[in-house]
Amino acid sequence: MEDKKQVYRLQGLSCTNCAAQFEKNVKDIQTVIDAQINFGASKLTVIGEATIEQLEQAGAFDEIKVIPAKQRAEEQRTPFWKKKTNITTAVSALFVLLGYIAQFTASENSVLAIGLFVLAIIIGGYELFKVGLSNLVHLQFDMKTLMTIAIIGAAFIGEWGEGAVVVFLFALSEALERYSMDKARQSIRRLLEIAPKKAIIRKGNKEYEVDVEDIEIDDIMIVKPGQKIAMDGIVVKGQSSVNQAAITGESLPVYKQVGDEVFAGTLNEEGSLEVRVTKRAEDTTIAKIIHLVEEAQAERAPSQQFIDRFAKYYTPAIMLIALFLAVLPPLLWNGDWSEWIYRGLAVLVVGCPCALVISTPVAIVTAIGNAARKGVLIKGGIHLEETGRLKAIAFDKTGTLTKGTPEVTNIELFNEIGEAELLGIAAAIERHSQHPLASAILREAKRKAIDIEKWQAGDFLSITGKGAKANVNGNVYYIGSPTLFAEFLTLPVHVQERISRLQIEGKTVMLLGTNEELLGLFAVADQVRESAKTVIQSLHKLGIHKTMMLTGDNDKTAAAIGNELQLSEVKAELLPQDKLATIKKIREEFGSVAMVGDGVNDAPALASATVGIAMGGAGTDTALETADIALMADDLTKLPYTIRLSRKTLRIIKENITFALGLKILALILIVPGWLTLWLAIFADMGATLIVMMNSLRLMKVKE
C-alpha cells in the first residue's frame, strides 16, 4: 500500500534552523513516516498521517501556521512592527536602555539596573531560551543553543548588561532575517496571485461564476475585456490581444483568435473571448511554473550542500574552542576565570553560523524568483550555478536561431507566364502536399491575395525527396528540386548559375514547369530571428568562447546562417545521434556546455548537455519536463539575461561566504588581545547576517 502524502503551506517560518527543528518535530510524530521542509517556498511535505493541530503543535516554538496546499487561504500579512516577536524585541530594547540609564545614574551593579537587564533578557529571550534549553537537554547544537549558553554564562559572571544587549541584538537579527526572507519569497507569492480564483462558465444559455477547482475540461469559459484568464484553453469564439507577461515575460500583448492557445493568469485586453478549457486548475501552465519554482528552491545547489556539511562540523568545533578558551588558561596559566569565561562566551556568540547558513539559500531563492517573473524557468540552484560557469553554447537551428516557418524570398520567371499565374499553379499543386516548403508557397499566395480557386489540380502525385506533379487546368506541371527537372530537361547555364547563387545564400530552390519547359523558380528560406545576431554578439561579450549551431540541414544553408550570425562553428547534416556525440565532445573540451533547442526534438542532446535550455516552454509540457531551464516565451533575448543572472548569483554567493567567514576570522583574532566584547561579537554576527541578506536581495534588481 502506497504511503499517504500531504503537502502544506506554512506561514511564519522564520529561519533555516527553525525549519530544521520543525522538520525534526514533525518526523517525531508517531503516525508520520517522513517529512521534508522546503524552506525557500515555505512548504511541508508529510509522508504518513498527521492532523493540522499536531503539525502546528510541532511548530508552536516558531508560531508556524499550517495550511493544506490545495486550500486557498489568504496569507495574514501582519505589518513588521505588529508582529509579536518584533514587539517583544522593541520592549527588550527599551529595558536595555533603561538599564544603562540606571547604571549610569546609580551604580554599575545597582539592583535596579540588574533588574532592568534581567527583564530585558527574559522578555527578549523567552522564545530563544525555550528552544535553546530544549536543544541543550537533547545535545543538539545550533545557533540558539550557542546563544543560550552565552547569555546564561554572561549572567553567571555578572555581565548582566552585555547579556541583555546580546539578547536584544540576536532578536533583532532574527526579525530582520525573517523580513529579508519574506522579501525573497515574494516572487512565489506574486506567482500564486496571478491566476484568478473564479471564472465565468457558460452552460446552455446561462452563465455561472464558479471556483476554478470545480471547472471541468471542455467547459466553455467567458472572458470579458480587462479580465484575467482563469484557465488554460483554446479560443473557440472571438479575438483579442492578450498580455502574457505573467507567463512568458513578453512585454507586448499577443493577438489571439479562434484556435489559439491561451494561458491562466494572462490578461485579456480589448476583445471578448470564449475559451474551451483544456486543463484542470492543478495542471495549468502557471500551476506547473509555481510547482517547478518551488521544487527548484528546495533543491540544494552545490555551494549550499558544501555550507550545510561545513556548518555540521563548524558549530561543535566552535563550542570546543570556546570551552578550551574558557577553561585552559585559568587551569594551566593561572588566568582570571571571569576574564577567560567572558572570552569563551564571546567566541560562542561570534561563532554563530547564521550568516554562513543563510548565504546561499536566500541568493538562490531570490534569483529563481526573479527569473520566473521575467519568463525564465530555472529548475534548481544547481542549474543556476552551472549556467554561471558556461563557456560554450550549442544551438539547434530550426525554431531556435530561425523562426521555424519557411518563407518565399524570391520568385523568378523564365517564360511569358505572369507571377500571379506561376504562384497560382504552384499553390494549386502544393495544396495537396504535406511538405513544409508547400506551406511557404500557400502562405505567399495568400499574402499576395491570389485567388487559387482559378487553378484546379487533379491526379496529384508526390515524387519522394524531389517534389510533386499534378494536372492543373488540363496541363501536367511539375514542382520540385533542380534534381527532379534535370531528369527530363537540360537546365540553361544562367538558370544553373542562379540556382547556385541562391543556394549559397542558404535558400532552398524549387522549380516549376512542364516536362518540356521551365516556367520559373521559387527560393524558400527559414528566416533567421531578428534577435539572433544581437543575442550571439551579447553572448560573445559575456565571455562565451564557443557558440555553435547543430543542424540536420544541408551544408550551404547552415554555412550561410552561421556567417550571418557570426557563430564560432557550424555543424550541418547531423542526425540526432551525431548531435549527441558533438555535445559530448564539446563537454570534454570545455567542461560544460549548454544546448538550446525546442525541447521536443533533439531530446538526447538536451539531456546530455550540462544545461538543457528549451525555447517556448509555455504550452509545451515536454519542454517544461525535459529542460533544466525553459525560456517561456519563444524569445532568445532571455538567454544573455539568464547567463548574467546566473553569474551574478555565483558572484554573490562567493561574496556572502567570503564575507561571513572573513568576519568570523577577524572577530576571533580580536579575542587574542581581549578586544572582542560580547555585544561586539553579536553585533558582528548580526551585521554579517544582514549584509549577506541585503547582498542577496540585489538579485531582485537584475535587468533583462
Side-chain angles (χ1 to χ4, degrees):
M1 191 176 129
E2 199 175 299
D3 294 325
K4 197 173 177 186
K5 179 179 171 182
Q6 295 290 335
V7 182
Y8 302 92
R9 295 197 175 278
L10 307 173
Q11 291 181 6
L13 188 64
S14 59
C15 65
T16 46
N17 276 286
C18 305
Q21 183 60 47
F22 178 49
E23 183 177 279
K24 183 186 175 301
N25 291 353
V26 173
K27 284 178 179 175
D28 288 343
I29 297 170
Q30 283 190 340
T31 49
V32 170
I33 297 159
D34 195 15
Q36 190 176 22
I37 286 268
N38 178 338
F39 177 62
S42 259
K43 283 176 84 174
L44 167 71
T45 304
V46 176
I47 308 291
E49 289 188 3
T51 64
I52 300 284
E53 289 74 21
Q54 284 176 306
L55 296 174
E56 289 192 343
Q57 184 60 40
F61 69 93
D62 201 31
E63 295 181 4
I64 295 167
K65 294 278 171 259
V66 180
I67 300 153
K70 290 184 180 177
Q71 182 181 315
R72 286 183 177 259
E74 293 298 323
E75 181 155 357
Q76 301 156 358
R77 291 188 193 167
T78 315
F80 185 76
W81 290 112
K82 286 188 179 177
K83 287 185 178 175
K84 184 184 165 187
T85 49
N86 298 346
I87 292 168
T88 55
T89 304
V91 173
S92 174
L94 177 65
F95 280 115
V96 170
L97 184 63
L98 291 173
Y100 275 108
I101 291 168
Q103 205 176 63
F104 182 73
T105 53
S107 67
E108 193 170 321
N109 292 316
S110 72
V111 175
L112 177 61
I114 291 172
L116 289 166
F117 287 139
V118 169
L119 277 171
I121 289 169
I122 292 169
I123 292 167
Y126 175 72
E127 296 295 333
L128 163 66
F129 298 141
K130 206 164 67 174
V131 179
L133 290 169
S134 168
N135 287 353
L136 201 54
V137 169
H138 295 99
L139 297 178
Q140 292 170 355
F141 301 111
D142 67 2
M143 289 180 284
K144 291 191 174 176
T145 318
L146 296 186
M147 297 307 296
T148 302
I149 295 168
I151 294 156
I152 291 169
F156 180 72
I157 60 171
E159 295 289 347
W160 296 101
E162 297 232 1
V165 170
V166 166
V167 165
F168 160 65
L169 288 176
F170 184 74
L172 181 62
S173 172
E174 291 254 291
L176 292 171
E177 187 181 322
R178 268 194 296 271
Y179 175 75
S180 301
M181 203 63 213
D182 278 348
K183 289 287 280 183
R185 286 188 187 125
Q186 272 179 9
S187 52
I188 290 186
R189 287 209 199 99
R190 285 178 193 151
L191 287 173
L192 285 168
E193 289 163 4
I194 283 170
K197 297 175 180 62
K198 292 180 180 288
I200 298 168
I201 297 295
R202 194 185 67 218
K203 294 199 175 180
N205 295 322
K206 293 190 176 179
E207 293 179 7
Y208 303 90
E209 187 177 60
V210 297
D211 290 335
V212 291
E213 287 85 359
D214 299 328
I215 296 173
E216 299 289 330
I217 290 171
D218 290 333
D219 279 353
I220 300 298
M221 179 171 62
I222 311 294
V223 189
K224 295 172 183 174
Q227 282 187 341
K228 275 189 176 179
I229 297 168
M231 303 286 279
D232 284 14
I234 304 288
V235 177
V236 291
K237 188 177 178 184
Q239 53 192 25
S240 181
S241 291
V242 174
N243 186 329
Q244 298 192 150
I247 301 290
T248 64
E250 294 166 283
S251 52
L252 296 174
V254 179
Y255 179 72
K256 299 285 182 180
Q257 56 189 358
V258 174
D260 287 342
E261 190 174 15
V262 291
F263 306 111
T266 57
L267 179 67
N268 179 29
E269 297 203 331
E270 76 276 352
S272 185
L273 296 174
E274 289 190 17
V275 176
R276 180 174 60 78
V277 175
T278 55
K279 292 178 184 174
R280 297 186 184 281
E282 63 269 24
D283 298 326
T284 59
T285 303
I286 186 66
K288 282 186 177 169
I289 292 172
I290 291 164
H291 174 70
L292 289 168
V293 168
E294 290 179 337
E295 291 301 305
Q297 293 182 337
E299 186 183 312
R300 295 184 184 277
S303 57
Q304 191 174 342
Q305 289 170 350
F306 161 74
I307 290 297
D308 289 346
R309 285 196 303 272
F310 181 81
K312 191 177 173 183
Y313 301 105
Y314 168 86
T315 308
I318 284 289
M319 292 195 72
L320 281 175
I321 292 168
L323 180 65
F324 291 149
L325 193 66
V327 172
L328 292 183
L331 284 177
L332 301 179
W333 302 290
N334 294 320
D336 179 55
W337 277 99
S338 182
E339 182 192 336
W340 287 101
I341 287 173
Y342 183 87
R343 290 192 188 189
L345 296 175
V347 169
L348 277 186
V349 172
V350 82
C352 263
C354 308
L356 203 57
V357 170
I358 206 76
S359 60
T360 303
V362 73
I364 298 286
V365 167
T366 308
I368 288 173
N370 179 1
R373 289 205 314 278
K374 302 269 197 317
V376 178
L377 193 59
I378 301 170
K379 290 167 68 175
I382 186 168
H383 309 307
L384 194 67
E385 288 196 13
E386 283 170 342
T387 304
R389 296 191 186 98
L390 286 174
K391 294 292 178 209
I393 300 179
F395 296 87
D396 179 33
K397 178 181 79 78
T398 309
T400 301
L401 292 173
T402 64
K403 293 176 183 174
T405 50
E407 293 175 21
V408 174
T409 56
N410 305 70
I411 299 177
E412 297 184 13
L413 311 171
F414 300 136
N415 212 309
E416 298 301 316
I417 193 169
E419 185 181 287
E421 189 177 356
L422 187 80
L423 200 49
I425 294 167
I429 301 170
E430 296 292 29
R431 278 167 91 176
H432 301 277
S433 174
Q434 298 299 313
H435 197 278
L437 298 181
S439 60
I441 299 281
L442 292 168
R443 276 195 300 275
E444 185 66 9
K446 187 178 179 182
R447 192 176 70 80
K448 292 192 170 173
I450 306 291
D451 180 11
I452 57 175
E453 297 303 325
K454 288 182 184 175
W455 293 273
Q456 293 297 321
D459 302 329
F460 174 84
L461 177 68
S462 175
I463 305 165
T464 307
K466 294 178 182 176
K469 74 169 185 175
N471 187 318
V472 181
N473 294 359
N475 295 312
V476 175
Y477 293 96
Y478 292 80
I479 186 167
S481 67
T483 320
L484 172 65
F485 280 82
E487 291 176 7
F488 46 77
L489 279 178
T490 304
L491 298 177
V493 175
H494 74 278
V495 172
Q496 289 180 29
E497 287 174 354
R498 185 67 187 130
I499 290 168
S500 241
R501 276 201 301 276
L502 288 167
Q503 285 177 335
I504 289 166
E505 288 171 21
K507 296 171 182 176
T508 302
V509 176
M510 301 163 69
L511 303 178
L512 177 69
T514 65
N515 58 1
E516 294 173 356
E517 63 174 340
L518 194 60
L519 299 176
L521 71 72
F522 300 94
V524 177
D526 185 1
Q527 299 296 293
V528 171
R529 289 177 185 269
E530 290 85 354
S531 61
K533 191 170 183 179
T534 54
V535 165
I536 300 299
Q537 287 171 346
S538 298
L539 293 175
H540 287 155
K541 282 178 188 169
L542 283 168
I544 299 295
H545 299 320
K546 194 179 196 89
T547 51
M548 175 186 265
M549 181 173 76
L550 309 179
T551 178
D553 213 334
N554 67 70
D555 279 324
K556 285 181 180 175
T557 303
I561 292 172
N563 289 334
E564 185 184 341
L565 297 179
Q566 297 173 356
L567 291 160
S568 313
E569 194 177 341
V570 170
K571 285 195 177 286
E573 298 180 10
L574 299 178
L575 296 169
Q577 58 265 36
D578 301 327
K579 291 186 181 181
L580 177 60
T582 306
I583 288 290
K584 285 181 177 174
K585 192 178 172 186
I586 304 170
R587 195 167 181 171
E588 283 168 18
E589 186 183 346
F590 287 93
S592 64
V593 61
M595 173 73 188
V596 187
D598 59 11
V600 180
N601 303 321
D602 312 316
L606 275 170
S608 68
T610 319
V611 184
I613 302 173
M615 292 280 291
T620 57
D621 291 347
T622 318
L624 287 177
E625 284 159 19
T626 59
D628 302 317
I629 295 176
L631 310 180
M632 300 305 288
D634 209 17
D635 183 5
L636 258 185
T637 59
K638 304 281 183 188
L639 188 56
Y641 155 76
T642 307
I643 289 171
R644 279 200 314 276
L645 177 72
S646 301
R647 287 186 178 174
K648 188 162 186 180
T649 306
L650 269 183
R651 194 166 64 246
I652 279 177
I653 288 170
K654 284 174 187 168
E655 287 169 3
N656 287 351
I657 293 170
T658 306
F659 185 79
L661 282 175
L663 204 61
K664 302 283 179 204
I665 293 163
L666 178 65
L668 289 169
I669 290 167
L670 290 178
I671 285 171
V672 178
W675 295 346
L676 187 71
T677 61
L678 270 181
W679 69 266
L680 190 61
I682 185 67
F683 199 74
D685 180 67
M686 185 184 84
T689 304
L690 273 181
I691 289 167
V692 159
M693 298 292 279
M694 295 303 146
N695 194 32
S696 299
L697 291 176
R698 287 196 299 134
L699 288 164
M700 281 183 164
K701 307 293 180 192
V702 178
K703 298 280 192 291
E704 287 179 60

